[in-house]
Amino acid sequence: MTGVTLSRYLVEQQRNDPQITHDLRLLIENIATACKSIGVAIGKGAIAGVLGGAGTDNVQGEAQKKLDVLSNDLLIRSKQANGTLAAMASEEMDEIYHIPPEYPRGDYLLLFDPLDGSSNIDVNISVGTIFSVLRRQAGPGRAPTVDEFLQPGTEQLVAGYAVYGPSTLLVLTLGKGVDCFTLDRELGEFVLTHPQMRIPEDTKEFAINMSNQRFWEPAVQRYVEELLMGASGPREKDFNMRWVASMVADVHRILTRGGIFMYPLDSKTRDQGGKLRLMYEANPMAFLVEQAGGAATTGRARIMEVTPEKLHQRVPVVLGSKSEVERVTRYHHE
Ligand code: P6P
């Protein structure tokens, strides 16, 4: 199947799975097109004057980059008219975005982080777009409410990300494994290059922001200390560390060669429930990681079984190679 375009791939998927409706196929193609446009804007960087701050803050109280706002607007504008969505939610918007009355309303809900890792954009490090698709709970007649978005991660129909790095990649799951597409810039098409990605069960690589070490809970302190002791410690092997500070880049490395990613609860983020957002960062990444044979927990419970209470809710995240995630989770319970 490698070499097929995303469009051809989706036709095949739809043929084999009735749950993949024409609208869902159209929505995915639409998301891919928006990611291509975001990638073009990012690629122009300073030349297009799209770097730097936008002078505004988002719902998280974080300063927005121009590309945060541009990417968000791109995703909104490109989706609202295609008749597949009832509403959208974004890290960059306080409230859900209703499809304007002049456009038909569809059955799906789209959630996204339009530009994850945007603090890296001005220093030319890989960033990404993360997205998640849910089916709306109420009938088409009723205007969607934020409560319809508050579904556990197990309800996701589609999850994926685009990573804007040396290549622009689109990594996608429809619930039947994880497939990776590379953007052929001459064709302007995403082409299947890494079908059915699998995370190795074991690893020698961990990803965490070590500068938070003094704030971690005992379980994470213990786990990381054992990794740092290397071959002479209880793990009896040396480990390597990576931290890109773009979740999409770290997760893509783990999907490709294994590893464990941790943004655990710490005394700094405890009051907020963690750093990363459940609905449009943790849940889509957890879906992808589990579909690739890995595991994803909050340190205590499976991320995809967390019942959301707020749209911009945060959770601790421990995901990647199954044996390592299980060890960290076990330490939390001991
Ligand atoms: P820190 C980016 O802002 C992000 O949400 C994730 O993409 C990334 O993994 C994390 O925050 C980086 O956090 O504290 O290391 O800057």
Side-chain angles (χ1 to χ4, degrees):
M1 281 284 276
T2 52
V4 296
T5 62
L6 176 66
S7 303
R8 169 81 191 286
Y9 164 91
L10 289 172
V11 166
E12 292 297 315
Q13 296 296 318
Q14 185 180 13
R15 188 173 294 149
N16 300 331
D17 179 353
Q19 194 183 21
I20 300 171
T21 61
H22 171 79
D23 271 7
L24 195 56
R25 181 157 67 86
L26 176 61
L27 173 57
I28 296 168
E29 293 203 276
N30 225 276
I31 293 168
T33 303
C35 290
K36 281 189 256 184
S37 305
I38 292 169
V40 167
I42 289 171
K44 288 178 180 165
I47 295 168
V50 294
L51 299 184
T56 51
D57 287 353
N58 66 13
V59 63
Q60 331 285 343
E62 293 163 343
Q64 289 177 304
K65 300 285 188 184
K66 286 179 193 163
L67 275 167
D68 279 319
V69 177
L70 184 146
S71 306
N72 189 66
D73 292 349
L74 246 173
L75 277 157
I76 293 287
R77 276 202 318 275
S78 68
K79 302 279 159 306
Q80 62 184 353
N82 69 21
T84 63
L85 294 172
M88 297 182 236
S90 161
E91 179 190 62
E92 302 302 330
M93 301 185 299
D94 301 17
E95 308 300 328
I96 64 172
Y97 180 87
H98 291 270
I99 300 304
E102 62 266 32
Y103 299 124
R105 203 152 58 195
D107 298 333
Y108 301 106
L109 304 172
L110 176 65
L111 301 101
F112 53 84
D113 179 357
L115 200 62
D116 174 67
S118 55
S119 57
N120 280 323
I121 194 72
D122 294 344
V123 293
N124 203 42
I125 289 175
S126 297
V127 292
T129 299
I130 309 173
F131 55 89
S132 171
V133 180
L134 295 169
R135 185 187 304 284
R136 70 168 310 192
Q137 301 297 296
R142 288 187 45 208
T145 64
V146 66
D147 291 345
E148 288 193 65
F149 281 82
L150 303 183
Q151 302 176 40
T154 47
E155 293 302 310
Q156 292 175 100
L157 299 171
V158 177
Y161 59 80
V163 50
Y164 311 108
S167 309
T168 291
L169 304 179
L170 179 73
V171 178
L172 194 59
T173 184
L174 304 175
K176 291 186 171 53
V178 177
D179 292 309
C180 174
F181 301 78
T182 301
L183 179 62
D184 178 329
R185 290 192 169 90
E186 276 138 29
L187 263 181
E189 291 271 11
F190 279 110
V191 174
L192 182 60
T193 48
H194 305 75
Q196 296 299 298
M197 299 180 85
R198 299 298 292 172
I199 299 181
E201 174 113 2
D202 298 312
T203 184
K204 291 185 175 180
E205 207 157 55
F206 70 100
I208 194 166
N209 182 337
M210 288 296 289
S211 70
N212 295 324
Q213 185 168 26
R214 61 191 181 285
F215 305 119
W216 296 337
E217 296 181 304
V220 176
Q221 298 275 4
R222 172 187 171 192
Y223 176 71
V224 173
E225 274 160 24
E226 288 177 356
L227 299 183
L228 296 175
M229 290 166 76
S232 59
R235 301 303 308 275
E236 298 178 327
K237 66 180 181 179
D238 292 340
F239 283 79
N240 190 23
M241 199 203 99
R242 288 283 181 277
W243 186 252
V244 182
S246 281
M247 186 184 196
V248 174
D250 282 313
V251 169
H252 189 71
R253 186 190 57 254
I254 289 167
L255 277 171
T256 306
R257 69 184 189 209
I260 181 169
F261 172 98
M262 293 168 280
Y263 214 109
L265 201 60
D266 63 37
S267 51
K268 274 197 308 184
T269 60
R270 176 178 301 282
D271 295 346
Q272 297 163 296
K275 157 107 188 202
L276 301 178
R277 292 79 176 185
L278 172 63
M279 298 306 293
Y280 39 78
E281 287 178 328
N283 266 339
M285 290 310 202
F287 191 15
L288 287 160
V289 162
E290 288 196 5
Q291 283 290 313
T297 75
T298 62
R300 291 177 169 82
R302 186 181 175 215
I303 285 176
M304 292 219 291
E305 291 176 354
V306 172
T307 302
E309 288 159 11
K310 289 183 296 184
L311 186 61
H312 298 291
Q313 175 172 336
R314 296 166 186 257
V315 287
V317 175
V318 177
L319 61 77
S321 293
K322 186 176 278 191
S323 64
E324 293 302 320
V325 173
E326 287 171 348
R327 177 185 289 267
V328 175
T329 307
R330 188 170 68 246
Y331 286 6
H332 277 83
H333 290 299
E334 281 174 4

